[in-house]
């Protein structure tokens, strides 16, 4: 198990140790009557709901007075929810560690059922972590000086930013800024996560603070800042298309059961019928089962669809290009991979990819692409499960010297869960 596999459980240990100390000291200082009662557990959700926590200045009632020497009722309620969510995360992670021990002490080959059970445990722990993260954001909005909330939130923001897990990240960064924490990295994180999730007003307000830099968060912030205007225009167009698609509710869907959990994708058959036909036929043939995410580039994309795992694999046919530029490429887009053009580096007028070289390989994007880049076919999007994609091991085809070995995550099984009532047979080109 690599370091990235252990990141969430280790983060849990770090946070729990600090939170436990803070809670113990507060418990000694407060009478029992002031201890918040645990609120009834709510189901953990992976994707943040549209009504995620907003800044306290927007949400708190103007008339609410803070009792002398005490907490507001809203802060007490937020504390109770946070405590409950942390306990749920603790239990989910304990169950995951039990699975880890069984996984590593098992003899013989790992069975399919064991892979699925492992993925389910990790997914449950990740969902519980996300619920605790959102609860911490709300707690800090309501109680700026809350020690356990701020400690937990700071560690969680770091983990989310490092793994390109942007759902809920904007709210966490804004909560810390609202609480008076002055750190330019928080502004960059808030801006990048806002751009990734379609909140362009917040993105503009915070990306104007992004420092110059050619690596890490600074580079990502500069990249998002540069494309904000065309990205917003493309996003507004995309929203109209998605509204119409939701009303029709008939686009094909595929469930990817990965080593990080389930990922549900919806396919853009209206714009890319041939690419979708190829994808569905390959899924139904079992082509994508046990296929690795052999290349995961931070702040960019996860790539799969190569059974060989070295970047050379295909479905033994090529696909003609279609729908180039018809759908924008946002966070969670499915994009057909093509062969890079070797002449692009020395010829600025050459295209970056070779036309008509798509096959079985595809990308799932971690951040939006520049809308001006129109060489690739976007043929679908992730409906749910971006937490699983964000936490994939950062595997690489070209290994750096002395770099640790990173085992790739994989698609355990792919299944068509909905399609239209016609045959899916693609038109192909020979290799």
């Amino acid at each position: 198990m690599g370091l990235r596999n252990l990141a969430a459980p280790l983060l849990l240990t770090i946070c729990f140790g600090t939170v436990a100390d803070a809670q113990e000291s507060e418990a000694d200082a407060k009478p029992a009557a002031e201890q918040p009662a645990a609120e009834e557990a709510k189901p953990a959700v992976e994707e943040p709901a549209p009504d995620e926590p907003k800044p306290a200045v927007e949400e708190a009632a103007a008339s609410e007075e803070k009792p002398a020497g005490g907490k507001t009722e809203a802060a007490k309620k937020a504390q109770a929810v946070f405590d409950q969510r942390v306990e749920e995360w603790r239990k989910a992670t304990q169950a995951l560690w039990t699975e880890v021990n069984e996984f590593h002490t098992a003899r013989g080959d790992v069975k399919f059922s064991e892979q699925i059970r492992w993925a389910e445990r990790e997914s449950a722990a990740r969902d519980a972590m996300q619920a605790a993260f959102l609860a911490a954001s709300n707690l800090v909005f309501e109680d700026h000086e809350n020690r356990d909330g701020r400690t937990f939130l700071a560690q969680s923001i770091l983990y989310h930013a490092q793994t390109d897990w942007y759902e809920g990240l904007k709210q966490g960064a804004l909560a810390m800024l609202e609480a008076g924490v002055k750190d330019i990295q928080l502004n960059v994180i808030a801006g990048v996560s806002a751009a990734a999730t379609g909140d362009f007003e917040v993105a503009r307000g915070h990306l104007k603070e992004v420092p110059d830099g050619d690596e890490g968060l600074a580079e990502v912030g500069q990249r998002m800042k540069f494309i904000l205007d065309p990205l917003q225009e493309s996003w507004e167009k995309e929203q109209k298309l998605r509204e119409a698609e939701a009303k029709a509710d008939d686009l094909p869907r595929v469930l990817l059961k990965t080593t990080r959990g389930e990922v549900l994708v919806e396919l853009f058959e209206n714009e890319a019928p041939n690419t979708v036909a190829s994808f569905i036929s390959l899924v139904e043939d079992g082509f994508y089962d046990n296929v690795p995410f052999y290349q995961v580039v931070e702040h960019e994309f996860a790539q799969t669809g190569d059974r060989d795992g070295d970047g050379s694999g295909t479905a033994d046919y090529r696909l003609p290009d279609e729908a180039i530029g018809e759908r924008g490429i946002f966070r969670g887009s499915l994009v057909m991979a093509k062969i890079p053009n070797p002449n692009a580096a020395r010829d600025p007028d050459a295209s970056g990819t070779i036309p008509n070289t798509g096959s079985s390989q595809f990308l799932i994007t971690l951040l939006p692409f520049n809308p001006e880049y129109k060489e690739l076919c976007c043929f679908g999007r992730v409906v749910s499960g971006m937490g699983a994609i964000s936490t994939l091991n950062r595997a690489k085809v070209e290994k750096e010297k002395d770099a640790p070995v990173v085992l790739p995550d994989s698609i355990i099984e792919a299944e068509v869960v909905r399609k239209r009532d016609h045959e899916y047979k693609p038109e192909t080109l020979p290799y």
Side-chain angles (χ1 to χ4, degrees):
M1 176 177 290
L3 290 177
R4 289 183 56 81
N5 300 66
L6 294 170
L10 287 179
L11 174 62
L12 177 68
T13 303
I14 293 169
C15 290
F16 277 161
T18 312
V19 169
D21 293 342
Q23 289 176 331
E24 183 177 351
S25 63
E26 289 187 10
D28 292 339
K30 293 195 295 186
E34 291 186 21
Q35 300 298 321
E39 183 173 286
E40 182 180 357
K42 300 176 183 177
V45 293
E46 182 174 10
E47 302 294 339
D51 58 347
E52 285 173 330
K54 297 295 191 300
V57 294
E58 296 178 7
E59 293 290 328
S63 60
E64 185 174 21
E65 296 290 335
K66 184 175 182 179
K71 306 287 187 181
T72 66
E73 288 302 316
K76 291 179 180 180
K77 182 177 180 181
Q79 180 74 61
V81 173
F82 172 70
D83 292 342
Q84 181 67 37
R85 297 295 177 265
V86 169
E87 181 60 24
E88 291 168 359
W89 187 25
R90 185 196 303 273
K91 292 178 179 178
T93 303
Q94 287 173 342
L96 174 61
W97 275 113
T98 299
E99 199 69 44
V100 169
N101 292 332
E102 293 179 0
F103 188 84
H104 284 289
T105 56
R107 295 183 178 181
D109 294 334
V110 177
K111 297 179 181 178
F112 173 78
S113 60
E114 293 171 335
Q115 288 183 302
I116 294 295
R117 190 172 71 247
W118 164 277
E120 289 173 346
R121 291 291 193 192
E122 174 159 342
S123 182
R126 188 176 56 250
D127 288 351
M129 176 187 180
Q130 182 73 346
F133 177 43
L134 296 176
S137 298
N138 190 58
L139 175 58
V140 174
F141 271 130
E142 296 292 350
D143 182 2
H144 293 350
E145 303 303 320
N146 191 288
R147 283 180 56 195
D148 51 343
R150 285 173 62 135
T151 301
F152 187 99
L153 191 55
Q155 297 285 355
S156 298
I157 287 171
L158 176 63
Y159 177 71
H160 277 67
Q162 289 177 338
T163 57
D164 290 298
W165 190 0
Y166 297 106
E167 287 72 29
L169 183 54
K170 177 190 72 176
Q171 285 73 23
L174 291 179
M176 293 295 276
L177 290 168
E178 178 69 21
V181 178
K182 298 185 183 300
D183 187 337
I184 191 63
Q185 298 291 345
L186 284 173
N187 294 97
V188 177
I189 289 170
V192 171
S193 56
T197 54
D199 189 340
F200 297 100
E201 182 178 353
V202 170
R204 284 191 179 84
H206 290 277
L207 288 179
K208 66 182 179 182
E209 307 289 343
V210 63
D212 293 333
D214 58 0
E215 61 181 17
L217 278 174
E219 185 277 329
V220 178
Q222 290 288 356
R223 190 198 330 158
M224 291 297 102
K225 180 180 178 181
F226 178 76
I227 67 172
L228 270 184
D229 287 343
L231 182 61
Q232 181 174 6
E233 182 180 349
S234 181
W235 179 248
E236 290 171 353
K237 176 184 175 182
E238 177 72 11
Q239 292 303 100
K240 293 179 180 179
L241 289 171
R242 292 188 185 184
E243 288 175 7
E245 289 166 349
K247 186 176 181 179
D249 195 27
D250 68 343
L251 287 179
R253 289 187 171 188
V254 169
L255 183 64
L256 304 177
K257 299 178 182 179
T258 80
T259 47
R260 293 290 181 176
E262 294 185 348
V263 180
L264 181 64
V265 302
E266 187 168 81
L267 307 175
F268 299 152
E269 184 176 343
N270 296 338
E271 291 82 10
N274 196 56
T275 304
V276 169
S278 173
F279 187 71
I280 287 181
S281 65
L282 290 174
V283 169
E284 292 182 329
D285 287 343
F287 181 90
Y288 291 110
D289 296 353
N290 297 311
V291 172
F293 287 95
Y294 73 90
Q295 179 166 243
V296 182
V297 182
E298 63 180 5
H299 314 316
E300 293 192 30
F301 57 80
Q303 187 166 354
T304 185
D306 173 11
R307 299 183 67 86
D308 299 324
D310 61 4
S312 64
T314 70
D316 295 328
Y317 61 76
R318 294 180 295 127
L319 292 171
D321 288 341
E322 69 173 340
I324 302 299
E326 289 194 26
R327 298 291 290 249
I329 299 175
F330 308 99
R331 172 168 171 78
S333 292
L334 271 66
V335 181
M336 182 55 58
K338 297 199 300 186
I339 296 175
N341 186 347
N343 297 320
R346 56 180 179 269
D347 183 357
D349 295 326
S351 61
T353 58
I354 300 175
N356 304 320
T357 55
S359 184
S360 59
Q361 293 195 43
F362 65 96
L363 320 175
I364 300 180
T365 53
L366 297 171
L367 279 172
F369 283 15
N370 188 336
E372 302 300 322
Y373 178 69
K374 297 181 178 181
E375 290 190 20
L376 302 177
C377 170
C378 177
F379 68 97
R381 69 183 181 94
V382 173
V383 174
S384 64
M386 277 305 295
I389 297 301
S390 296
T391 52
L392 293 171
N393 280 342
R394 266 40 178 183
K396 296 181 179 179
V397 176
E398 297 181 0
K399 311 291 191 301
E400 297 178 4
K401 185 179 180 180
D402 299 326
V405 175
V406 177
L407 296 178
D409 286 293
S410 62
I411 300 171
I412 302 171
E413 182 183 50
E415 175 188 1
V416 176
V417 295
R418 184 173 74 182
K419 62 180 181 178
R420 291 171 176 170
D421 188 19
H422 63 78
E423 183 182 17
Y424 284 84
K425 186 177 180 180
E427 296 181 4
T428 64
L429 302 172
Y431 257 107

